Amino acid sequence: MSVIPVLLTSQLCGNATQVGRDMVELAKRILNTGEDLDYVEGLFEGTVAFEEDINNKIKQAKDLAIEQNSQVCLLFGGETTVEVTGSGRGGRNQEMCLSAMIAMDSMNLSPNSVTFASIGTDGQDGPTSAAGAVVAPLCSSTSQLDPLAFLKNNDSHSYFSELEGGKFIYNTGLTGTNVMDIGIMLLDFEDS
């Protein structure tokens, strides 16, 4: 299956929890095969500088993906922040992924319609050995863990470590470079 890339931004910033939710809302808007709209309107609290003509680029990619039975791959880079209110362990990438996973489940997205990843290019996300995480709708559906409680405690690393034996944690080891965090959101229209 082919993939059609769209660069959203290389200047992502803002609160990781909010950005995770907004990314999933963006995915939902794009996957909705109804009328076209301003996909990014009202999202990201006005903190993200999107690529020029982003709504048209998204629409073109979506139309091509549907026509060719392909997927759209939304790419983004930058660095978000975490408002620490809890005592858990994690970093901005894992926190963004946990927030995105919770949003996917609350929006009842189809199991294979969205895959979301956020990874630190230095190989370390916060004070953990993980670089980030990869999530999809319903990846927590068989777990007894409460993802919202972990998110409120800023404990995303513990959550992903316990969820299916750490299956959703992305480990690279230290890379010796630190360009920015990189995010990928893969949209599958066949499963939406």
Side-chain angles (χ1 to χ4, degrees), residues 129-149:
S129 60
V134 180
V135 296
L138 304 177
C139 66
S140 66
S141 64
T142 60
S143 172
Q144 299 300 313
L145 300 172
D146 179 1
L148 193 54

Side-chain angles (χ1 to χ4, degrees), residues 26-141:
L26 176 61
K28 182 180 173 185
R29 290 178 183 186
I30 296 168
L31 289 167
N32 180 351
T33 55
E35 69 182 71
D36 298 319
L37 49 98
D38 181 347
Y39 296 110
V40 298
E41 181 181 353
L43 298 176
F44 307 101
E45 302 173 340
T47 61
V48 177
F50 287 101
E51 293 296 309
E52 188 175 321
D53 200 23
I54 192 63
N55 285 302
N56 191 44
K57 290 176 182 176
I58 291 171
K59 181 181 177 349
Q60 288 175 349
K62 174 183 174 177
D63 291 346
L64 189 59
I66 291 170
E67 176 185 316
Q68 295 180 354
N69 193 27
S70 300
Q71 296 174 324
V72 169
C73 181
L74 302 175
L75 304 164
F76 50 95
E79 291 194 357
T80 60
T81 57
V82 172
E83 181 181 341
V84 179
T85 58
S87 60
R89 289 185 48 226
R92 59 185 173 253
N93 293 296
Q94 293 169 87
E95 181 140 333
M96 188 188 321
C97 288
L98 182 54
S99 175
M101 183 195 75
I102 292 166
M104 286 179 206
D105 292 347
S106 73
M107 292 181 197
N108 298 314
L109 295 176
S110 301
N112 297 317
S113 61
V114 181
T115 303
F116 183 93
S118 187
I119 311 295
T121 57
D122 62 354
Q124 184 174 21
D125 187 32
T128 73
S129 60
V134 180
V135 296
L138 304 177
C139 66
S140 66
S141 64

Side-chain angles (χ1 to χ4, degrees), residues 86-91 94-95 98 124-130 150 153-161:
S87 60
R89 289 185 48 226
Q94 293 169 87
E95 181 140 333
L98 182 54
Q124 184 174 21
D125 187 32
T128 73
S129 60
F150 281 86
N153 193 34
N154 301 110
D155 204 11
S156 54
H157 184 72
S158 296
Y159 179 82
F160 286 121
S161 294

